[in-house]
Amino acid sequence: MELEALEAELTCAVCLNVYQDPVGLPCLHSFCVKCIEGVWAQTARPAGFECPQCRRKFNPRPSLEKNFTLCNIVENYNRSQPPADPAHVMCEYCDDNPSQAVKTCLKCEISFCSLHLKPHLQKKAYKDHTLIEPVFDLTERQCPDHKKILEFYCKDDAECVCVSCTIIGKHKSHTLLSLDQAHTAIKEELERETEKLRGVQQNCSSKQRDLGRSEAEIKTRIKELKGKLSKSFSEWRRQLEEDEEYALKLIDEEGLRALAQIRNCSEALNKRMEQITLIDGETQSLLQRDPLSFLQNSKQLLSRVTETQRVTDPDVPALALNLSNISQLIQERLNGWEKYHSDILGIIRPASTEYRGPSTVTPPPHSSSGAAPVPLIAIKQSTGIRGRTGISQGQRSPMGLDPKTANWNLVLSDDLRSVTWTGQKQPYPPHPERFKDQPQVLCSQSFSSGSHSWDVETDGNYWGIGIVCGSVEREGGGSYLGGSSKSWGLYYCGDLCVSLRARHNSRFTRLRGFRSGSRIRVQLDYEAGTVSFHQVTDSLTHLHTFHTTFTEPVFPAFYCRNKSLKLLN
């Protein structure tokens, strides 16, 4: 009802439509400016002009003042209305029975029915008038500055203008197009740009599909990783439970041994005290007898006392739990912990960065993540009296690291004489000799005879040094330095449990007396079948020696899980 009342207040009494450019009369009634001028043009009398609504007469003709308050109300009302349906635009020339308009003349600014449109279609005077589909409100097609129909398009300012804009307005020196020309040009431009957007849309759609595939792959990878980790941790828990049971059993056995020893000593002491108590009782009884009876029986009793005194008292050893042997047995049992630790890291670290295809780009001397520059590496090679090295007899050229064997988490220097661990996967191309699971690298040169040595300055808390046969596995548990019969290694682990261990064929030997952050010397005697490790300080401290028989060339090998290894001349 409020909307109907508002429409009634905004309806011109002449055209019965919402006001267009309303003006007010002195009698306070308002009309469309065209409507009141049209009425007065037809009904002008010498007596004066009258209001079509209240019939009040005015003489002379009153000035038509624009009703700004009503204009604002009408403007707000029009904005709130949906676009006018051409079917509801009525002919402005029909008086008694308005007919539906079929065209609107932009020049006349009037809508016509088919009957009143005939002059525009038949007379030459109207040939330059532009007819369009019926429009209810032509204000949107008028220039806001000159109130004239928009007939041109300013290419410079990208807006529609009227004739006055092109003559006296700000667009008079600009490039102008007809509306049809501008329509055709902008339509083509819009279609081209829209076609580009379709290409963008297709690209986005393709990326969206890639994201979908990546999401599925990641979910699958997560499931696989969780499965592998759960299996590894379950195995670890099972092994720990077995180790716990084994350790408790050892302690129980040692406790039973110690307690049995205590019981045996206690029984011997009790027996000794019972004998003494018995003799003491007999002595007290004999002392009560008469002298003759006493003398007759004292000789035998004295003999028993003397004999009892000669018996040695039972020795009571230092009774305690002997845990040294248990500690060694448990230590040997727990050597497998490092394997589980390595297995877990072997699952997580390779999965942190997936290989994205081969690359021919030479890896940088240090990672792009801002890691410290890689220290220089040098290898000390000494040719013994036994003859030649794996390079050539008597050759003393410095050895270098072999890039095709380096794990993806190792960075080699440009001169191939240094190695540093990085968490960022390097773009190395696939190669059958590359270590896939362990952060290891070999030297390019091998040794098949002679004596050789090289010094290694260690850095970090998880590293390994040793030698391997050329046929050692490059993935799986057998690829681990010292994890098979084809490799021998010295390991330092300073993060979980500080220890230095020698390893061969998955068997560990714990070493003592080692200080971290020092130099290690590796000495190889191929014919003797020995590889020895020494700590280099002011003097050489022997750490461990492996004894074997080499049947194929061996390569210096390096395991770098943290920071770097530096080999010195």
Side-chain angles (χ1 to χ4, degrees):
M1 295 299 296
E2 294 181 357
L3 182 60
E4 293 179 357
L6 178 61
E7 290 179 350
E9 292 293 331
L10 300 180
T11 299
C12 174
V14 176
C15 66
L16 301 180
N17 292 319
V18 176
Y19 291 116
Q20 294 187 19
D21 295 330
V23 293
L25 301 183
C27 62
L28 303 181
H29 290 128
S30 297
F31 305 91
C32 301
V33 63
K34 290 185 179 181
C35 291
I36 189 63
E37 288 179 346
V39 170
W40 283 352
Q42 296 178 5
T43 61
R45 296 182 179 86
F49 301 87
E50 67 177 15
C51 171
Q53 193 166 352
C54 66
R55 302 301 178 183
R56 178 179 173 180
K57 292 183 170 32
F58 307 102
N59 195 5
R61 171 177 169 168
S63 61
L64 299 176
E65 301 293 338
K66 190 169 185 178
N67 191 334
F68 289 100
T69 301
L70 197 56
C71 283
N72 292 333
I73 297 175
V74 170
E75 183 177 357
N76 292 333
Y77 171 79
N78 289 333
R79 289 176 180 173
S80 65
Q81 300 301 306
D85 186 351
H88 294 87
V89 178
M90 308 307 291
C91 176
E92 298 179 40
Y93 265 81
C94 295
D95 294 330
D96 298 333
N97 187 17
S99 301
Q100 179 177 320
V102 294
K103 293 291 181 181
T104 296
C105 177
L106 294 181
K107 190 167 186 177
C108 299
E109 300 183 17
I110 296 175
S111 297
F112 300 97
C113 64
S114 58
L115 177 63
H116 293 108
L117 183 64
K118 287 182 179 181
H120 277 74
L121 301 177
Q122 297 173 353
K123 295 182 179 181
K124 294 182 179 181
Y126 299 105
K127 66 178 181 179
D128 59 340
H129 288 211
T130 302
L131 300 176
I132 63 173
E133 294 301 315
V135 177
F136 183 79
D137 185 9
L138 287 173
T139 57
E140 295 182 355
R141 290 178 169 267
Q142 292 178 344
C143 172
D145 297 331
H146 305 105
K147 305 302 179 183
K148 293 184 178 181
I149 294 297
L150 301 171
E151 300 182 65
F152 301 96
Y153 180 80
C154 176
K155 189 175 181 180
D156 298 342
D157 295 333
E159 60 179 347
C160 296
V161 298
C162 68
V163 174
S164 296
C165 291
T166 66
I167 299 175
I168 60 176
K170 59 183 180 180
H171 302 278
K172 62 181 180 180
S173 60
H174 292 180
T175 302
L176 301 174
L177 300 175
S178 68
L179 295 181
D180 290 339
Q181 290 174 330
H183 173 266
T184 301
I186 295 177
K187 178 183 177 182
E188 293 176 354
E189 180 182 5
L190 182 60
E191 289 176 346
R192 287 194 304 270
E193 297 303 320
T194 303
E195 185 64 28
K196 293 179 182 178
L197 285 180
R198 292 193 188 99
V200 174
Q201 183 183 37
Q202 292 177 356
N203 187 35
C204 291
S205 178
S206 177
K207 291 181 178 180
Q208 188 70 30
R209 289 193 297 270
D210 292 341
L211 288 175
R213 287 191 292 267
S214 297
E215 180 182 11
E217 291 174 0
I218 288 176
K219 288 181 177 179
T220 302
R221 187 61 175 149
I222 288 174
K223 184 177 180 180
E224 292 176 352
L225 286 174
K226 290 174 68 176
K228 291 180 179 179
L229 286 174
S230 296
K231 182 178 179 181
S232 294
F233 277 109
S234 296
E235 178 63 21
W236 201 345
R237 283 190 293 270
R238 184 191 64 77
Q239 185 63 45
L240 286 174
E241 290 173 357
E242 292 180 0
D243 293 343
E244 178 186 12
E245 182 180 356
Y246 176 75
L248 295 177
K249 181 180 178 181
L250 290 178
I251 292 175
D252 285 341
E253 292 175 352
E254 175 59 21
L256 291 175
R257 184 200 63 78
L259 293 175
Q261 188 178 16
I262 291 174
R263 284 194 296 269
N264 293 335
C265 290
S266 178
E267 290 175 359
L269 290 172
N270 286 333
K271 185 176 181 181
R272 176 76 165 156
M273 289 186 295
E274 288 175 359
Q275 291 176 348
I276 294 174
T277 300
L278 180 61
I279 293 174
D280 184 58
E282 293 178 357
T283 300
Q284 295 301 325
S285 177
L286 184 62
L287 291 175
Q288 300 298 324
R289 295 184 182 184
D290 61 277
L292 179 60
S293 179
F294 174 81
L295 293 172
Q296 289 176 341
N297 293 285
S298 61
K299 183 179 180 179
Q300 182 181 3
L301 183 58
L302 284 171
S303 176
R304 289 175 59 195
V305 169
T306 302
E307 183 181 353
T308 302
Q309 289 177 346
R310 292 195 184 104
V311 176
T312 304
D313 291 339
D315 291 331
V316 179
L319 297 175
L321 291 175
N322 182 11
L323 299 181
S324 59
N325 186 43
I326 294 178
S327 176
Q328 182 178 356
L329 292 174
I330 292 177
Q331 183 62 55
E332 293 177 358
R333 181 87 176 190
L334 298 183
N335 281 338
W337 285 8
E338 290 188 358
K339 176 182 181 299
Y340 289 116
H341 179 238
S342 176
D343 289 345
I344 296 299
L345 295 180
I347 294 173
I348 295 296
R349 283 174 172 155
S352 62
T353 52
E354 296 296 336
Y355 178 67
R356 302 186 181 278
S359 172
T360 57
V361 179
T362 302
H366 57 272
S367 67
S368 59
S369 60
V374 181
L376 294 177
I377 268 186
I379 297 179
K380 179 180 180 182
Q381 175 183 312
S382 63
T383 304
I385 60 174
R386 296 184 181 272
R388 58 186 180 84
T389 68
I391 308 171
S392 63
Q393 185 173 355
Q395 186 172 347
R396 297 177 60 86
S397 300
M399 296 183 295
L401 301 175
D402 190 354
K404 69 177 180 294
T405 66
N407 178 263
W408 284 293
N409 288 104
L410 296 181
V411 178
L412 308 184
S413 62
D414 289 339
D415 59 359
L416 301 177
R417 294 166 64 84
S418 64
V419 57
T420 295
W421 184 87
T422 176
Q424 183 176 0
K425 192 171 184 179
Q426 301 302 302
Y428 300 149
H431 196 281
E433 295 185 28
R434 190 176 308 285
F435 287 99
K436 299 177 177 58
D437 300 329
Q438 305 301 332
Q440 298 176 166
V441 62
L442 304 182
C443 280
S444 301
Q445 294 79 6
S446 64
F447 304 115
S448 57
S449 65
S451 297
H452 316 275
S453 69
W454 52 95
D455 289 359
V456 183
E457 184 174 295
T458 62
D459 187 18
N461 55 14
Y462 204 169
W463 50 261
I465 306 167
I467 61 172
V468 303
C469 296
S471 60
V472 72
E473 296 178 10
R474 304 308 167 108
E475 61 181 330
S479 65
Y480 201 102
L481 182 58
S484 71
S485 61
K486 296 184 178 182
S487 61
W488 300 259
L490 184 73
Y491 278 95
Y492 175 74
C493 180
D495 51 359
L496 297 178
C497 52
V498 178
S499 65
L500 181 71
R501 299 180 181 184
R503 187 187 191 196
H504 172 63
N505 205 15
S506 296
R507 295 182 180 179
F508 289 88
T509 301
R510 183 165 184 169
L511 309 177
R512 301 183 183 278
F514 173 77
R515 291 180 299 171
S516 62
S518 62
R519 183 185 300 186
I520 302 297
R521 176 166 298 171
V522 184
Q523 292 182 325
L524 169 67
D525 190 331
Y526 191 92
E527 281 76 9
T530 62
V531 55
S532 301
F533 301 88
H534 296 79
Q535 184 171 12
V536 182
T537 54
D538 294 336
S539 60
L540 287 181
T541 301
H542 177 258
L543 298 174
H544 188 77
T545 297
F546 291 105
H547 297 272
T548 186
T549 300
F550 298 116
T551 59
E552 60 179 295
V554 294
F555 296 77
F558 311 97
Y559 178 101
C560 185
R561 178 70 75 179
N562 177 267
K563 294 190 178 179
S564 61
L565 292 176
K566 184 177 182 181
L567 287 85
L568 305 174
N569 283 330

